[in-house]
Amino acid sequence: MIYAVWVPLLMPFVTVPAARRLADALSPRHAVRLLASAAIGLALCSTLALVLLVVPGATRLTAVAAVGELVKPLAAAPAVAVPLACAALALLAGCATAVVRSTRRHWKELHRAVEATDGSDGELAVLRDSRPDAYALPGLPGSPGRIVVTTGMLRALDPVERDALLAHERAHLAGRHHLLHAAAELAALCHPALRSLRAPMGYALERCADEAAAAAIGDRRVAARAIGRAALAARAAEGAPARPRVALAAVAGPVPRRVAALLGRTAPRPRAGRAAAAALLACLALSGAAAIDATHDLHHSIEVAQGESPRR
């Protein structure tokens, strides 16, 4: 176990460079799926690896050994197992605390944002605010999400551009993109290397909505113009709008790259995309296999410590 358990902890550092290439090299929908799989899978495997590092040291405690019915200690040396267990436990506690705090903060922001739009009926909520902004607001349990747009943004765009912007935000709600965005955010709290996946995931999600908006209005140039003008209007406004972090907005992310992609100015790289996807899937498989192997080895060691005849 001592060797296999380190693979899930080190694999994110190897995987992230390949994963970051997916957003540009693959179609947005495929990139989103692979990036979400990478973030969730690598976070789970690395968390499991930390748990596996805690167990050998924890069994050195008399109470834990009694609960586990161990008749002798595990094979790991105390000088190695105990410090590793303490370090892994501290990391697990830090990750759990960060996840709980982030979840509570986002939940409070979502509640405040939903309360601010309670006076609006239907899918669209218009806020009286001179600062141009528009975003897709996920709903609370039992309530649908809404498209929130300010009066400043409505004044900044012409009618067909408004339709494109609303189609973009509608695509976020229909695709439940906020769940994928939240998964990437939480995964980043479980392993430092996974923080680098948040930007590619955000870009890929916005590209998905861009393509959906272009298909909805039937004109890629209009969709590109709407996104560009909305972003320019939002960035020229004084003061940041009170947008919750759980919301997805058309004016977010690298807008010039998105506009260039809509206008066909970025050449597709299918070969590079397939290579990056294959490397990512191989890393995920290796990380998962190593975590399973380490779990099996730990179970074998516990059986030996319990005086049983282990079944390999």
Side-chain angles (χ1 to χ4, degrees):
M1 185 191 80
I2 193 63
Y3 301 109
V5 76
W6 293 105
V7 174
L9 295 174
L10 298 176
M11 193 55 65
F13 294 102
V14 179
T15 307
V16 165
R20 294 175 65 179
R21 297 174 180 268
L22 294 174
D24 285 320
L26 290 180
S27 69
R29 182 173 298 181
H30 292 155
V32 163
R33 291 175 180 174
L34 283 172
L35 287 169
S37 299
I40 296 170
L42 293 173
L44 290 176
C45 289
S46 62
T47 302
L48 176 59
L50 290 177
V51 173
L52 295 176
L53 286 173
V54 169
V55 175
T59 56
R60 297 285 171 175
L61 299 174
T62 303
V64 176
V67 171
E69 300 179 349
L70 304 183
V71 297
K72 59 181 179 179
L74 296 181
V80 176
V82 174
L84 279 178
C86 293
L89 184 60
L91 290 173
L92 283 172
C95 291
T97 301
V99 167
V100 170
R101 286 179 177 175
S102 177
T103 302
R104 291 181 61 184
R105 182 175 64 250
H106 289 175
W107 190 253
K108 290 179 180 178
E109 289 179 356
L110 179 58
H111 266 276
R112 288 196 296 267
V114 170
E115 289 174 358
T117 62
D118 277 346
S120 303
D121 296 326
E123 178 191 50
L124 181 64
V126 179
L127 299 182
R128 293 187 176 277
D129 192 334
S130 60
R131 295 169 298 185
D133 197 20
Y135 53 87
L137 182 67
L140 295 171
S143 62
R146 283 179 173 173
I147 300 171
V148 181
V149 61
T150 64
T151 52
M153 181 61 80
L154 293 178
R155 287 194 295 266
L157 304 178
D158 60 36
V160 68
E161 292 170 347
R162 294 174 199 162
D163 291 341
L165 184 67
L166 296 180
H168 175 103
E169 306 302 348
R170 191 175 294 113
H172 280 317
L173 295 178
R176 303 181 71 83
H177 290 169
H178 57 282
L179 296 179
L180 299 172
H181 181 262
E185 291 289 327
L186 294 179
L189 299 175
C190 298
H191 196 289
L194 298 179
R195 296 172 187 170
S196 299
L197 290 184
R198 292 183 296 186
M201 172 63 85
Y203 172 73
L205 289 173
E206 293 303 329
R207 284 284 298 118
C208 280
D210 291 344
E211 293 296 331
I217 63 173
D219 193 328
R220 299 179 67 85
R221 296 186 65 85
V222 170
R225 188 173 73 243
I227 292 166
R229 289 189 62 185
L232 288 174
R235 292 175 184 178
E238 295 183 359
R243 182 197 309 156
R245 276 167 283 194
V246 293
L248 294 170
V251 298
V255 174
R257 282 173 59 197
R258 292 166 48 203
V259 170
L262 277 173
L263 296 177
R265 294 174 182 169
T266 55
R269 296 179 295 165
R271 183 174 299 179
R274 288 193 294 268
L280 176 60
L281 293 174
C283 290
L284 278 174
L286 181 59
S287 183
I292 293 172
D293 183 60
T295 303
H296 185 271
D297 283 351
L298 178 61
H299 183 261
H300 168 74
S301 299
I302 291 175
E303 284 185 333
V304 172
Q306 290 172 335
E308 299 179 6
S309 177
R311 296 178 296 274
R312 295 293 292 185

